């Protein structure tokens, strides 16, 4: 199959008169042309929608996605939707996507084999944007698509039918493709994709960690504690936010540091007992007992920089526990956490100026007056979501 697409310089007849009436909805400056979001790789991603479902269209527009793809024979549907929402319609026609004025916007290709991908070429006029519909994308790894266009100025969008499929294209080889075209008839897929972008947007934001002073330490008894093994390596100063109360989460250090007692395990956080809260993406919390393979947590460093990590394994074992309580200066409220009483378990300490910094204090060396880091937030929670209501926890 010859994958050399036709030149975008070909001329086409002027648009029919009905489309002139849509200018008041589309605008001459094309402000509704597309919407881009920034996930964890910090490069803007473009999202276009391919659907004939009005509810999907409405959900997408409400979330800022205004570019829609239609078959060439559904201009009537595009016109109808343009009368109720500000959208930018594109139409599939002869190996390209054209707008309502028959101007070429992007090249379009359907690829069903690795050989077709290798032979795929575009002319200079088409080099701006390319939409690729992989008819069997599992046979052609997303990494191959990213590698094929890496180093070019071309923005490549892959047609995706689910949020998880879109995520693969957006994250392949760390940088991912330039965007996705969601070809769906289900509103749920739009909501899931928006949730994905919301979680990734949080990654580039700094959490406002607060310095707290240890006020009480007490060896308690035995309890079921949770080790969280994630699918990423953690660096010194990084860990998980955990606490007995959601209103104050301690930054518990990973086991990435060398120890005389056990080999370094930079993928692990000995996080605390099963009842404790742990911070997860989206400003939510989860119980440690609820974590399992495939779930996500946020990894945070001393400066408050956060990133999302996938849980690979959770181990629950009975171990001796120690109670740690702390207060923030000028506040009377106390915050607490229980941790395994072991030399490899520690809390992250605040940064002080420049130069060499102590990153963690082992709980076995912790003493009253030591400084640790806390994340303060609302205490009332419903299924991990912060809510406004009266609550007393002690």
């Amino acid at each position: 199959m010859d994958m050399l697409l036709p030149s975008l310089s070909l001329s086409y007849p002027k648009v029919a008169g009905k489309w002139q009436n849509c200018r008041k909805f589309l605008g001459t400056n094309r402000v509704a042309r597309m919407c881009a979001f920034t996930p964890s790789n910090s490069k803007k991603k473009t999202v276009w929608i391919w659907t004939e479902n009005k509810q999907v269209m409405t959900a997408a527009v409400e979330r800022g996605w205004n570019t829609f793809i239609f078959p060439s024979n559904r201009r009537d549907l595009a016109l109808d939707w343009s009368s109720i929402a500000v959208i930018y319609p594109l139409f599939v026609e002869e190996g390209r996507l054209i707008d309502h004025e028959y101007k070429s916007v992007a090249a379009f290709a359907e690829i069903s084999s690795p050989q077709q991908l290798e032979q795929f070429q575009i002319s200079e006029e088409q080099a701006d944007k390319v939409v690729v519909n992989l008819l069997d994308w599992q046979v052609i790894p997303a990494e191959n698509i990213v590698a094929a266009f890496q180093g070019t100025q071309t923005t490549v969008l892959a047609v995706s039918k689910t949020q998880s499929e879109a995520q693969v294209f957006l994250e392949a080889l760390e940088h991912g493709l330039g965007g996705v075209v969601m070809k769906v008839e289900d509103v749920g897929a739009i909501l899931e994709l928006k949730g994905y972008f919301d979680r990734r947007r949080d990654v580039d934001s700094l959490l406002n960690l607060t310095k707290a002073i240890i006020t009480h330490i007490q060896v308690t008894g035995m309890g079921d504690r949770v080790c969280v093994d994630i699918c990423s390596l953690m660096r010194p100063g990084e860990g998980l936010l955990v606490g007995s109360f959601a209103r104050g989460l301690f930054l518990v250090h990973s086991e990435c540091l060398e120890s005389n007692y056990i080999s370094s395990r930079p993928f692990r956080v000995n996080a605390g007992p099963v009842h404790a809260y742990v911070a997860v993406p989206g400003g939510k919390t989860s119980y440690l007992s609820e974590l399992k393979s495939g779930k996500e947590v946020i990894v945070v460093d001393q400066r408050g920089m956060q990133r999302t990590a996938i849980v690979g394994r959770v181990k629950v074992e009975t171990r001796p526990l120690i109670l740690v309580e702390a207060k923030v200066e000028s506040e009377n409220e106390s915050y607490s956490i229980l941790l395994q009483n072991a030399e490899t378990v520690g809390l992250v300490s605040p940064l002080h100026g420049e130069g060499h910094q102590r990153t963690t204090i082992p709980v076995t060396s912790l003493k009253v007056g030591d400084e640790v880091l806390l994340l303060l937030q609302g205490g009332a929670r419903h299924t991990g979501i912060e809510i406004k209501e009266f609550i007393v926890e002690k």
Side-chain angles (χ1 to χ4, degrees):
M1 178 179 177
D2 185 6
M3 295 308 297
L4 181 61
L5 299 180
S7 170
L8 298 191
S9 61
L10 296 177
S11 60
Y12 286 86
K14 293 296 182 181
V15 66
K18 276 189 177 182
W19 279 108
Q20 304 300 329
N21 297 328
C22 291
R23 290 185 184 276
K24 62 182 179 181
F25 300 107
L26 297 170
T28 56
N29 60 356
R30 308 274 191 251
V31 293
R33 180 161 295 189
M34 65 185 67
C35 187
F37 289 81
T38 306
S40 57
N41 54 25
S42 76
K43 185 178 180 181
K44 286 185 178 180
K45 303 293 184 180
T46 299
V47 177
W48 294 350
I49 310 298
W50 190 341
T51 186
E52 295 189 17
N53 184 302
K54 190 173 183 179
Q55 284 70 39
V56 171
M57 181 274 291
T58 302
V61 170
E62 288 175 347
R63 282 149 188 84
W65 296 323
N66 301 86
T67 302
F68 292 85
I69 295 177
F70 300 90
S72 58
N73 63 348
R74 291 313 313 266
R75 289 177 175 269
D76 59 324
L77 181 61
L79 181 59
D80 178 46
W81 287 2
S82 293
S83 67
I84 59 176
V86 179
I87 69 170
Y88 180 62
L90 301 176
F91 305 94
V92 180
E93 188 169 302
E94 298 183 5
R96 79 186 82 198
L97 293 175
I98 59 175
D99 65 14
H100 72 283
E101 295 179 337
Y102 289 87
K103 292 180 180 178
S104 296
V105 175
F108 178 81
E110 292 186 331
I111 297 176
S112 58
S113 71
Q115 292 73 28
Q116 287 185 358
L117 177 61
E118 291 177 5
Q119 298 167 7
F120 179 57
Q121 300 178 31
I122 56 175
S123 64
E124 290 184 6
E125 293 86 354
Q126 297 170 316
D128 186 24
K129 292 184 179 65
V130 176
V131 173
V132 179
N133 188 11
L134 303 180
L135 301 181
D136 187 359
W137 76 272
Q138 291 177 320
V139 176
I140 311 168
E143 288 85 354
N144 290 15
I145 303 294
V146 176
F149 289 92
Q150 210 165 49
T152 71
Q153 298 301 312
T154 302
T155 299
V156 182
L157 290 80
V159 177
S160 307
K161 296 181 176 64
T162 64
Q163 178 272 325
S164 58
E165 191 173 308
Q167 182 175 339
V168 171
F169 288 123
L170 293 169
E171 297 181 354
L173 295 181
E174 293 189 24
H175 299 287
L177 295 177
V180 291
V181 174
M182 290 298 291
K183 189 176 184 180
V184 296
E185 303 298 327
D186 176 23
V187 173
I190 300 297
L191 303 181
E192 290 173 0
L193 185 64
K194 183 58 166 62
Y196 162 79
F197 278 116
D198 288 343
R199 293 193 299 273
R200 291 308 183 269
R201 185 184 291 111
D202 290 340
V203 170
D204 290 329
S205 62
L206 280 172
L207 291 174
N208 185 22
L209 299 181
T210 302
K211 180 176 67 177
I213 300 173
I214 301 298
T215 58
H216 179 70
I217 304 165
Q218 177 185 338
V219 175
T220 56
M222 305 294 287
D224 295 331
R225 72 93 176 95
V226 180
C227 274
V228 182
D229 294 350
I230 65 172
C231 301
S232 308
L233 297 177
M234 286 174 278
R235 300 178 290 273
E238 288 187 321
L240 301 181
L241 290 166
V242 183
S244 292
F245 312 128
R247 67 176 185 266
L249 302 180
F250 292 73
L251 186 50
V252 182
H253 202 269
S254 73
E255 295 187 7
C256 67
L257 301 178
E258 294 295 333
S259 167
N260 294 327
Y261 307 98
I262 196 169
S263 300
S264 169
R265 293 183 173 86
F267 53 82
R268 173 172 295 170
V269 176
N270 189 329
V274 289
H275 78 283
Y277 288 108
V278 61
V280 298
K284 300 178 182 179
T285 57
S286 175
Y287 293 116
L288 284 176
S289 61
E290 295 175 332
L291 294 184
K292 59 183 180 181
S293 297
K295 288 228 174 183
E296 291 183 326
V297 292
I298 59 171
V299 174
V300 183
D301 69 10
Q302 282 177 295
R303 293 174 173 81
M305 182 63 71
Q306 58 178 314
R307 59 187 172 96
T308 301
I310 299 170
V311 175
R313 174 179 52 244
V314 171
K315 294 201 310 176
V316 181
E317 298 163 311
T318 302
R319 294 290 186 269
L321 302 177
I322 185 170
L323 171 67
V324 178
E325 294 181 347
K327 287 185 178 181
V328 175
E329 194 173 2
S330 76
E331 284 190 14
N332 292 324
E333 193 163 17
S334 182
Y335 306 93
S336 71
I337 185 173
L338 285 111
L339 294 164
Q340 181 180 341
N341 190 7
E343 297 85 351
T344 54
V345 182
L347 296 174
V348 177
S349 55
L351 290 169
H352 294 284
E354 301 296 331
H356 179 72
Q357 300 282 336
R358 180 171 69 167
T359 57
T360 182
I361 307 174
V363 293
T364 51
S365 304
L366 201 61
K367 59 185 182 297
V368 172
D370 282 340
E371 296 179 345
V372 296
L373 289 174
L374 280 179
L375 175 67
L376 302 183
Q377 55 187 5
R381 298 269 154 171
H382 177 68
T383 63
I385 302 171
E386 183 177 339
I387 59 174
K388 301 290 185 182
E389 73 170 1
F390 174 76
I391 185 172
V392 174
E393 292 180 303
K394 58 184 180 179

